[in-house]
Amino acid sequence: FPSHDILQYHVTVSAIKAENLTDGQVLGMVNGDNVKVTVKDGKVMLNGTATIVASVQASNGMVHIIDGVLLPPAKK
């Protein structure tokens, strides 16, 4: 994967607090792909692999710190 594609796969165009994310929600990412949200036992996971461990309000949106790297789906 090109590094810019991986970086842009970590940025969404919406600013949503972690507690407002819902199970099954799909987020559109800047690179054009989507990330699926899973909520179980109070934990918010992205694509079933990375858990949101903290969130920080920034001047231009919300920064969610995750415990993994999201890789975009392979292009066909």
Side-chain angles (χ1 to χ4, degrees):
F1 300 102
S3 59
H4 70 276
D5 195 38
I6 294 172
L7 178 63
Q8 291 178 347
Y9 193 59
H10 287 77
V11 179
T12 184
V13 294
S14 54
I16 304 172
K17 293 182 178 182
E19 60 265 22
N20 294 335
L21 293 169
T22 58
D23 192 52
Q25 185 174 0
V26 175
L27 301 174
M29 307 310 276
V30 171
N31 77 334
D33 290 312
N34 295 317
V35 166
K36 185 175 180 185
V37 176
T38 306
V39 180
K40 185 176 181 181
D41 299 327
K43 292 185 179 180
V44 180
M45 294 190 76
L46 305 176
N47 286 350
T49 61
T51 302
I52 295 177
V53 295
S55 298
V56 179
Q57 180 71 50
S59 62
N60 62 344
M62 183 69 63
V63 177
H64 298 291
I65 294 87
I66 58 176
D67 65 357
V69 175
L70 301 173
L71 292 176
K75 301 294 184 204
K76 295 179 182 177

